[in-house]
Amino acid sequence: MPGITTSAIEVTHVSKHGFWLLLDSEELLVPFAEFPWFKRATIEQLTDVEWPSRGHLYWPQLDIDLSVESIRHPEAFPLVAKTRG
């Protein structure tokens, strides 16, 4: 029986503007301006991220699912979210 393939994912940096994800050898910025529901997340919540498939990311503590393409090209995925304060 074949094993489960897992991909390397890591949060490499967090700033007041957003956070950077390293997906294998690709680094992506997740800006809080485009993804506001991450802005008040703790470091623990941000770094608890799963990569269940090549095009999908999941933050279980925040119950947030994102397409990798929406991070690469946020302009192609207009998002509307209500944030508190």
Side-chain angles (χ1 to χ4, degrees):
M1 176 164 87
I4 297 172
T5 302
T6 58
S7 299
I9 183 169
E10 180 181 354
V11 173
T12 60
H13 182 74
V14 179
S15 79
K16 67 180 183 178
H17 303 290
F19 63 100
W20 284 258
L21 287 172
L22 183 61
L23 308 176
D24 284 336
S25 62
E26 178 182 21
E27 192 166 40
L28 297 171
L29 171 63
V30 182
F32 296 137
E34 298 288 338
F35 303 93
W37 44 89
F38 289 111
K39 189 169 186 165
R40 297 199 183 272
T42 66
I43 297 296
E44 179 183 352
Q45 291 169 322
L46 289 177
T47 58
D48 183 15
V49 56
E50 299 172 1
W51 196 7
S53 67
R54 296 304 298 167
H56 176 212
L57 300 171
Y58 179 60
W59 285 262
Q61 292 186 42
L62 299 168
D63 195 26
I64 295 174
D65 290 276
L66 281 182
S67 157
V68 174
E69 281 304 304
S70 72
I71 299 170
R72 288 182 183 129
H73 305 287
E75 71 282 355
F77 297 83
L79 303 173
V80 177
K82 291 184 181 179
T83 58
R84 291 180 225 144

